[in-house]
Amino acid sequence: MLSLTDVWARQLIAWEEIPGLFRPFVPADRLPPYLIYSPPDGWGSCKVNARLTMLCDKKISVLENTVDGVQVSEWLLDDLDYVEQGAVHLYSWLRLSGVAVGRPAVVQVEYNAVAAALFTQVVQAVRQTWGGASREVRGEGQEALESLAAIDYRFLNYAKECVLPGERVFTTVYQPELTIPRFLFSRRRLTAAYVCVLTDRELIFVSDAGSGGSMGRYGVVRRYIPLAKIKEWQLEPATWDKTGVWQLKLPGECIAIHFSAPAQSSLLVLAALLDEIRGG
């Protein structure tokens, strides 16, 4: 009989621990330094295949056992557009997006929240490889985050947790939850509450949405975008009766971020700083 720990993601440290179906894809003579096996699982109607996540110095790979055999997704760390880590109750995920072999590729690895620390190490290792600012622009450190204390203390803590040691913070933008009328007295959630943090290495988005915004506001999603991957951006201004949209063009995809009129001035400041940091 399987124990609870048998269905949780776990780190593998020996060749013998690797499930047989994945062994042909892992060199026995030089095991990758960091391996995480995620057993098959289910979250309601969502069924999750077994996966093996492999992290090397310059590359990350995800092997998935599908009905058509083992599918391999692989990126050089420099080819990742962003990494995302999210959780809603016990349901958690690591999302990797970038350009693999010249084509856009996105993979999401689901796991139980008890194993979150294993995947946090992957996220931190990837982020540590991202370079700093291309220009000398004055940053303020984590004290730049303190303005969030009077707005939303929860997001202040989230933001502080996300900033790496030694990373310089330039500015933040806080956006409360946006909803629009739907039927009678009900409303549809247009965008979750979020905070955007600009540092000398990356653009960090922390929101309280579930995956795809469809699982309620009982979790937290952290997305990290290296500044070098932001090729260009466009901003459609907000008005008193219409939300604005900030579009970020990355090599593999385009990200759209909704914002309200009160947040627009702060977002324009952030965008101007972004151009200055990147030398645009």
Side-chain angles (χ1 to χ4, degrees):
M1 181 178 178
L2 292 177
S3 67
L4 282 176
T5 55
D6 291 324
V7 297
W8 293 343
R10 55 188 179 273
Q11 183 180 1
L12 307 182
I13 58 175
W15 169 261
E16 294 74 20
E17 295 179 291
I18 301 174
L21 59 103
F22 292 130
R23 289 184 182 179
F25 302 89
V26 183
D29 57 337
R30 46 187 178 88
L31 208 63
Y34 199 63
L35 286 170
I36 304 175
Y37 173 61
S38 308
D41 205 345
W43 302 89
S45 60
C46 177
K47 302 303 178 184
V48 178
N49 295 323
R51 291 184 173 93
L52 185 68
T53 303
M54 302 189 296
L55 178 65
C56 300
D57 291 338
K58 297 182 179 180
K59 184 172 65 176
I60 187 167
S61 307
V62 177
L63 314 181
E64 179 181 359
N65 181 33
T66 72
V67 293
D68 298 319
V70 175
Q71 302 295 318
V72 181
S73 301
E74 187 173 86
W75 301 264
L76 294 175
L77 298 185
D78 288 342
D79 291 334
L80 285 171
D81 286 351
Y82 67 79
V83 293
E84 176 184 290
Q85 191 173 19
V88 179
H89 299 306
L90 290 178
Y91 173 69
S92 305
W93 66 90
L94 169 70
R95 184 178 177 89
L96 303 168
S97 177
V99 177
V101 198
R103 303 180 65 178
V106 180
V107 166
Q108 187 161 295
V109 181
E110 291 92 349
Y111 56 90
N112 191 295
V114 297
L118 295 177
F119 293 91
T120 298
Q121 289 189 52
V122 174
V123 173
Q124 301 289 61
V126 172
R127 294 174 63 203
Q128 291 285 2
T129 68
W130 295 342
S134 60
R135 281 188 171 185
E136 185 60 32
V137 181
R138 184 176 178 273
E140 301 181 28
Q142 286 211 6
E143 58 268 23
L145 303 175
E146 294 300 331
S147 61
L148 294 171
I151 303 173
D152 193 317
Y153 200 78
R154 179 177 52 132
F155 275 93
L156 168 65
N157 289 329
Y158 287 157
K160 284 185 172 181
E161 291 169 359
C162 289
V163 176
L164 292 172
E167 199 169 12
R168 289 184 297 160
V169 177
F170 294 102
T171 190
T172 63
V173 176
Y174 175 75
Q175 172 62 61
E177 178 185 74
L178 292 176
T179 62
I180 56 176
R182 189 166 51 178
F183 302 110
L184 294 177
F185 302 107
S186 65
R187 301 184 68 85
R188 181 172 67 86
R189 195 184 198 195
L190 180 61
T191 187
Y194 66 79
V195 64
C196 177
V197 182
L198 176 64
T199 79
D200 59 336
R201 298 181 185 178
E202 57 195 341
L203 199 57
I204 303 171
F205 288 96
V206 187
S207 76
D208 67 357
S211 181
S214 61
M215 296 187 67
R217 53 185 65 83
Y218 303 106
V220 58
V221 183
R222 301 171 174 90
R223 178 176 290 186
Y224 308 94
I225 306 172
L227 299 184
K229 293 298 179 178
I230 302 174
K231 300 305 179 185
E232 60 181 67
W233 59 266
Q234 294 180 335
L235 190 143
E236 180 182 335
T239 61
W240 68 273
D241 62 345
K242 180 183 177 183
T243 61
V245 181
W246 191 33
Q247 292 190 344
L248 301 174
K249 185 177 181 182
L250 311 179
E253 65 178 281
C254 184
I255 296 174
I257 300 147
H258 291 268
F259 61 92
S260 59
Q264 182 166 291
S265 58
S266 297
L267 190 56
L268 287 171
V269 170
L270 185 148
L273 280 169
L274 173 63
D275 283 344
E276 186 179 356
I277 295 167
R278 295 172 57 247

